[in-house]
Amino acid sequence: MVRMRFAKGHGTENDFVILPDPDGETDLTEETVRLLCDRRAGIGGDGILRVVRTRALGEALAPAARTAERTEWFMDYRNADGSVAEMCGNGVRVFARYLLHAGLVTGDRFEVGTRDGAKGVSVEADGNITIDMGRVEMQGTSSAKLARQVVHGAQISVGNPHLACEVDGPVADVDLSRSPELDTEAFPQGANVEVYAQVAPGVLEMRVYERGSGETRSCGTGIVAAASAATPEGEGATWRVRVLGGECTVYLDAHGARLSGPAVIVAEGETVLV
């Protein structure tokens, strides 16, 4: 029997179990992650945010995460199925909120380490949290077979892989009940699939099927991917992106993308793993 402290938080209803583990002592197995994220037998969440000091990871940091070495705190993110993910935009905002809530950082500007490197955090006057997501990499086009249709879109990396597909008609009409079938050559590790539509000038509506989690209420990196796909190449833009769980804003310019939106901590407690 293992007792484990936890917190629960969400960003536009993309929810996470937060595990404080400053010295990297927790053996976070795939089975443990799946149990904690189970909405009936566990706490419930779209993923796990392990709060660990970067120095505790040492050689476990992948080369892509080396710029995270300058940060004190590292977001060790896991999908609900136990798989490791490179990046999570809503997760970084919730992680940053937890660091502030727990008194682990101070001020309104700091950095968080991720497997996609260090991410700058800004706490806005209205309480929203803005993350510097870095450059978005456009990688061509591809397609996915959904339950009832084939969609085509932009293959995009936001630190993790995406296929962002503009659709005709309301995104609510798209069937995301089954895992999309992707081109395995284009996406050997799988990908998040977004369907989006422009509903007003500067406003997108989006839904997402997340790799390792299924359809979620929101996906921060997916929001950035959809905004990037909707922006003409070489241009900057500001998009409000509406998802099932709320709304975020994406700012795109020559320096990359910034993602801004709410992040809240809703509970803290102790769980027992048998």
Side-chain angles (χ1 to χ4, degrees):
M1 182 181 297
V2 177
R3 295 185 179 275
M4 184 179 294
R5 295 294 302 173
F6 75 92
K8 180 76 182 286
H10 77 89
T12 50
E13 298 182 7
N14 193 191
D15 62 336
F16 307 95
V17 179
I18 304 160
L19 299 180
D21 185 28
D23 298 317
E25 298 173 336
T26 301
D27 182 16
L28 196 57
T29 65
E30 289 188 7
E31 181 181 8
T32 298
V33 172
R34 289 195 295 268
L35 177 59
L36 289 170
C37 290
D38 191 298
R39 297 189 183 278
R40 294 177 177 83
I43 298 166
D46 293 324
I48 296 284
L49 306 175
R50 185 168 70 123
V51 183
V52 59
R53 286 193 172 89
T54 305
R55 68 170 181 267
L57 297 175
E59 293 302 317
L61 277 180
R66 288 305 179 193
T67 60
E69 290 179 333
R70 66 173 181 258
T71 66
E72 181 177 5
W73 296 102
F74 188 89
M75 181 186 76
D76 178 15
Y77 178 66
R78 314 295 177 93
N79 294 312
D81 67 353
S83 59
V84 174
E86 303 89 341
M87 179 56 184
C88 178
N90 288 329
V92 176
R93 294 203 322 280
V94 173
F95 188 93
R97 177 67 73 201
Y98 178 79
L99 294 181
L100 290 160
H101 171 80
L104 300 176
V105 297
T106 58
D108 57 8
R109 299 287 187 275
F110 53 93
E111 288 187 320
V112 166
T114 76
R115 289 186 176 84
D116 189 45
K119 303 297 179 184
V121 176
S122 300
V123 183
E124 308 299 344
D126 62 2
N128 281 351
I129 291 181
T130 300
I131 303 296
D132 183 352
M133 302 289 285
R135 293 189 179 278
V136 177
E137 185 179 347
M138 309 299 287
Q139 299 176 326
T141 59
S142 190
S143 60
K145 182 179 179 182
L146 306 181
R148 291 189 290 137
Q149 68 188 102
V150 174
V151 292
H152 307 276
Q155 183 178 345
I156 298 173
S157 174
V158 191
N160 57 349
H162 292 264
L163 179 65
C165 305
E166 185 173 16
V167 295
D168 296 324
V171 297
D173 292 346
V174 178
D175 188 345
L176 292 178
S177 61
R178 297 205 301 255
S179 178
E181 296 179 26
L182 293 160
D183 180 347
T184 56
E185 290 189 7
F187 299 105
Q189 304 301 319
N192 296 349
V193 176
E194 293 80 32
V195 291
Y196 71 90
Q198 184 170 346
V199 295
V203 182
L204 302 177
E205 285 188 350
M206 186 199 89
R207 288 172 60 209
V208 58
Y209 193 103
E210 287 200 61
R211 174 187 60 167
S213 297
E215 184 178 7
T216 58
R217 303 282 294 175
S218 179
C219 172
T221 53
I223 287 170
V224 172
S228 300
T231 303
E233 186 175 359
E235 295 186 15
T238 298
W239 291 98
R240 292 165 49 207
V241 183
R242 297 171 182 167
V243 292
L244 296 176
E247 182 177 294
C248 289
T249 301
V250 179
Y251 305 94
L252 299 168
D253 57 29
H255 302 290
R258 288 177 293 132
L259 172 69
S260 188
V264 296
I265 304 301
V266 299
E268 291 182 278
E270 185 178 84
T271 186
V272 177
L273 299 179
V274 180

